[in-house]
Amino acid sequence: MGASVDGSVASGTRTPAPARALRGLLPVLGAHRGMAVRTFGAALGGQVALVVLVTLAAHGVGAAVVDGAAPDAGTVGALLGLVLLRSLATWREMDLSHDLAYRVLAELRVRVFDGLARSAPARIAGRRSGDLASAALGDVEALEFFYAHAVAQLLASGAVFATGAAVLGFVDPWLLGAVLPAAGLLVLGPLLDGRGRAARGARTREAAAALSAETVETVDGLRELLAFGALDRRRARLRAYGRRLGDAQRAEHTWEAGAAAVRDLLVVAAVVGVVAAAAHTLSGPWAPAAMALALGCLAPVADSAAALGQAGGLRAAAARVGAAIGARAGAPATGRPVPLPDGPLGLRLRGVRFDYGGTDVLAGVDLVVRPGETVALVGASGAGKSTVAHLLARFWDPGDGVVEIVGDHAVDVRHLADTDLRRAVAVVGQDAPLFHGTLAENLRIAAPDAPDERVREVAELCGIGHLVSGLAVGERGATLSGGQRARVALGRALLAEPRVLVLDETTANLDAAGEADLAEALAAAPGAETRTTVLIAHRPSTIRRADRIAVLDGGRVVQTGIWEALTGEDGPFRTLLTRTEP
Ligand code: ADP
C-alpha cells in the first residue's frame, strides 16, 4: 500500500531519473537569486574566517614556541576580529539559508499542489487525497536539508578549498600533493555511492510514507476497527510498518556513521602528509600554519561530502516532487478561449471515446441534452456514468470525439476558458468533501461573494437552514450525516447558479422524503426554468423526475426516451430497472 501511495503521487506524470532529480529542482532557486547569492556570501565569509583564524592562530602558537615571542597586539586583534566575523557569518548563513529554504519550500508546496490538481483532478478528488497530499508534502519538507544546508555550503567549501590548495601549492607542491588525494576521495565518495544512498533513502521514505498512510487510515477507520474487533490486528500491522521504518533508518545511519569515519580518516591522513612534507621544506611557525591551513580547507570539503551524501538520500523525494511539479495536465489550458454562448445551455457528446489508461470506458458516446432539459443518465455500476460527468466538467479530455456546450452556437469544452466552464457547469457528487470552517463558508466555495441572505435562502431550500447559523463543520465534515453532506453539496452548487448542473448520485444517501425535498429545492432555486440538468441516478423515483432518460451500456448510449416509453418496451432500461431496488 505504501508503494501505491508513493507511486500515485507521480502516476500519470514524468518521473525524472533520480540521479538528475535534485539538480532538476535547482532552478526553483532562480526566483530567489539575490538571497541565494547572499547565503553563499555568508557561507563563504564564515569558512574563510575560520581558515584564516586557525592558520593565523597556529602560526602565532608556532612563533611563541619556536621564537619564544608572544603574539603582538595586531595579531591578537586580528584573531579576535576573525572570531567575531566567523560568529556573525555563521549566524547570518544559518538565518539566510533557512529563510531561503522555507521560501523555496513554500513555493514548492504550491507547485506540487498545482501539479496534482492539473494532472488528474478527478483522481485526486477521491478518498486518497489526504494521503497523496501528505506524501507529496512530506517529500517537500525533506528537501529543506538540500536547500538550507547543501547548496551554499557546497559552493563555498569548493571556493575555500581551491584558494587554500592554491596557497599550499604555491608554498610547496608537496603540500598540495598531500591534500589533493584526500579532497578527491572525499568528493568521489558520495558520487560513487550515489546509487546506494538513493536506494537507502528511498527505502526510508517509502517506509515513512507507508507508515503515515497506514496511520491515517487507521485513525480514520477507528470506529469500524473498534466495532469489528479488528484493532489488535491493525496494531500489529502498524508495529510491523514501524519496524520497517526503523530498519530502513538504522541501515541509513549505520552507513552514514561508517562514511563519517572514513572522511575523518582521509582528513587526518592528509594532515599527517602535510606535516611530513612541511618538516622537509618549512621552518619555524610556518609548519604548524601549513598544517592548520590544510585542516582548515579540508574540513569544509568533508562537511560538504557529508551533506552531499545526505542530499543523495533525498533523490527519491526530489524525483517525486519534480514529477508532481512537471505533471502534464489531464485537460490542457486553452490558448485562445472562445466565449460561452448566452442563455440556456445544452450539451452534446459526439463519438466520445475515453479510457483511464486501460480498456475503453466510453466507446463512442452520442448524447444530446437540450437547453433546460433534465436527462437522467442511467446504467449499471461501472458503466461510465461518472466518467461522462468528469468529461463534462473537463477533468479529462476525451480520447476521441467532442464534448460540446450548445447555446445559439456549439462550443467544444476544450475551447472554453476554465473559469467560464466552471461557472457554467457544476458537478455535484454524492459525498462532497467539506472543508474545515463554518457551513456558510463551505456553501460559499463556488460563490465567495454571495450575500448572507442568499446563503441562508439556499441553505433553507436544501433543508440545512437550521445548520447554517455559524456552525463549524469540523474535521472534514465529520459532524454531518451523509444526507446532510449531500444537501451541502447541492447547496454549494445552487448558490453559484450554474446553467448546467450534473448530479452524480447526489441523492443516493437520502431517504425517499429527503430525495423529494431536494427535487423541490432544485425546482425552486433561481435559474430552475432554464437550468439544464444531467441526473446520474439509479433510484426509479429519481430517474422518473427527468424529462428524458439515456441508458449507458458497453461504453455507448444504447437507449433514450421518456419514462413511459422506456418502461413500456422490452429493452436495456427495463432490464436495468428489474435489477434495481425500488
Ligand atoms: P459509473 O459511474 O457508471 O459507476 P465510472 O464512470 O465511475 O462508472 O467508472 C467506469 C469505469 O472506469 C469503471 O470500470 C471504473 O473502475 C473505471 N474508473 C473510474 N475512475 C477511474 C480512475 N480515476 N482511474 C482508473 N479507472 C477508473
Side-chain angles (χ1 to χ4, degrees):
M1 189 203 64
S4 78
V5 168
D6 263 19
S8 33
V9 172
S11 61
T13 62
R14 279 168 297 114
T15 307
R20 264 175 279 131
L22 281 167
R23 239 180 302 154
L25 289 180
L26 278 178
V28 187
L29 284 174
H32 307 275
R33 207 170 297 128
M35 204 165 191
V37 169
R38 268 178 286 145
T39 309
F40 166 69
L44 189 64
Q47 289 188 19
V48 168
L50 187 64
V51 174
V52 177
L53 177 68
V54 292
T55 309
L56 199 59
H59 183 271
V61 172
V65 171
V66 176
D67 308 331
D72 56 28
T75 309
V76 172
L79 287 174
L80 286 176
L82 285 166
V83 169
L84 198 65
L85 181 64
R86 162 75 181 175
S87 316
L88 281 175
T90 305
W91 163 74
R92 189 82 185 118
E93 190 218 333
M94 296 279 266
D95 192 33
L96 277 172
S97 63
H98 283 97
D99 195 356
L100 175 67
Y102 292 131
R103 277 169 204 250
V104 170
L105 296 198
E107 196 175 311
L108 280 183
R109 269 183 225 113
V110 173
R111 288 206 198 180
V112 164
F113 172 78
D114 283 349
L116 289 176
R118 185 174 59 236
S119 60
R123 185 168 13 198
I124 67 153
R127 202 175 60 80
R128 269 275 147 84
S129 54
D131 305 346
L132 278 178
S134 66
L137 296 184
D139 286 338
V140 171
E141 290 310 312
L143 293 176
E144 186 262 345
F145 176 83
F146 175 66
Y147 288 112
H149 304 282
V151 182
Q153 193 185 14
L154 225 64
L155 293 175
S157 61
V160 167
F161 178 78
T163 315
V167 173
L168 286 173
F170 180 72
V171 174
D172 180 7
W174 282 105
L175 295 175
L176 179 63
V179 293
L180 266 188
L185 287 173
L186 280 172
V187 174
L188 216 59
L191 296 183
L192 288 181
D193 184 37
R195 223 176 262 256
R197 256 178 221 276
R200 284 188 297 276
R203 239 183 85 203
T204 305
R205 294 213 55 75
E206 259 163 39
L211 178 64
S212 141
E214 187 76 8
T215 310
V216 169
E217 276 188 10
T218 305
V219 173
D220 276 357
L222 217 46
R223 204 170 51 184
E224 279 72 14
L225 292 171
L226 269 171
F228 293 115
L231 212 52
D232 280 348
R233 257 172 296 145
R234 198 72 190 182
R235 192 183 293 124
R237 272 171 68 102
L238 270 180
R239 192 169 290 144
Y241 274 97
R243 252 198 314 269
R244 224 179 87 196
L245 176 60
D247 288 347
Q249 285 172 324
R250 234 184 341 271
E252 244 190 318
H253 287 146
T254 305
W255 192 272
E256 196 46 55
V262 172
R263 283 194 301 271
D264 284 352
L265 201 67
L266 284 171
V267 173
V268 170
V271 171
V272 170
V274 167
V275 171
H280 289 294
T281 53
L282 295 179
S283 59
W286 290 110
M291 190 192 83
L293 177 59
L295 188 61
C297 62
L298 270 178
V301 177
D303 286 348
S304 292
L308 205 63
Q310 244 168 302
L314 299 175
R315 280 181 188 174
R320 273 190 300 267
V321 169
I325 289 176
R328 265 170 298 149
T334 317
R336 301 181 66 194
V338 171
L340 259 179
D342 291 328
L345 299 173
L347 301 167
R348 189 161 69 195
L349 280 78
R350 287 192 288 145
V352 168
R353 192 197 64 74
F354 182 79
D355 66 80
Y356 288 100
T359 50
D360 279 359
V361 172
L362 305 179
V365 169
D366 293 303
L367 176 68
V368 173
V369 183
R370 289 185 281 273
E373 192 182 25
T374 295
V375 168
L377 185 62
V378 302
S381 176
K385 304 180 295 291
S386 297
T387 303
V388 170
H390 292 156
L391 295 184
L392 290 174
R394 214 183 158 220
F395 287 168
W396 278 284
D397 282 335
D400 293 315
V402 280
V403 176
E404 289 169 320
I405 294 215
V406 189
D408 46 13
H409 61 281
V411 184
D412 186 329
V413 289
R414 279 173 293 207
H415 300 152
L416 286 172
D418 198 54
T419 42
D420 284 349
L421 179 64
R422 305 272 157 249
R423 234 192 2 250
V425 180
V427 179
V428 182
Q430 186 185 74
D431 189 17
L434 297 175
F435 302 95
H436 202 93
T438 65
L439 194 58
E441 280 163 3
N442 265 285
L443 288 173
R444 275 204 182 94
I445 281 171
D449 303 323
D452 285 349
E453 57 271 28
R454 278 280 300 129
V455 175
R456 226 168 298 127
E457 213 176 298
V458 166
E460 211 63 66
L461 270 177
C462 295
I464 43 172
H466 59 294
L467 293 179
V468 88
S469 48
L471 180 94
V473 168
E475 197 63 35
R476 295 184 155 216
T479 49
L480 295 185
S481 73
Q484 283 171 329
R485 289 161 69 98
R487 289 166 191 268
V488 174
L490 184 63
R492 185 184 276 170
L494 288 181
L495 200 58
E497 295 183 26
R499 286 190 273 168
V500 177
L501 187 59
V502 183
L503 299 173
D504 187 355
E505 296 283 9
T506 305
T507 53
N509 267 334
L510 297 169
D511 56 16
E515 193 253 316
D517 279 355
L518 284 201
E520 260 175 55
L522 278 170
E529 319 73 52
T530 52
R531 190 194 307 129
T532 309
T533 308
V534 175
L535 193 65
I536 297 174
H538 64 273
R539 194 187 281 160
S541 56
T542 316
I543 300 170
R544 212 176 172 152
R545 293 181 203 282
D547 301 321
R548 221 153 42 90
I549 298 162
V551 184
L552 198 59
D553 189 26
R556 288 167 198 274
V557 173
V558 290
Q559 199 183 18
T560 53
I562 59 168
W563 170 270
E564 289 73 16
L566 295 197
T567 48
E569 65 185 42
D570 255 351
F573 186 63
R574 273 260 290 266
T575 315
L576 195 68
L577 271 194
T578 52
R579 278 200 256 129
T580 316
E581 297 272 318

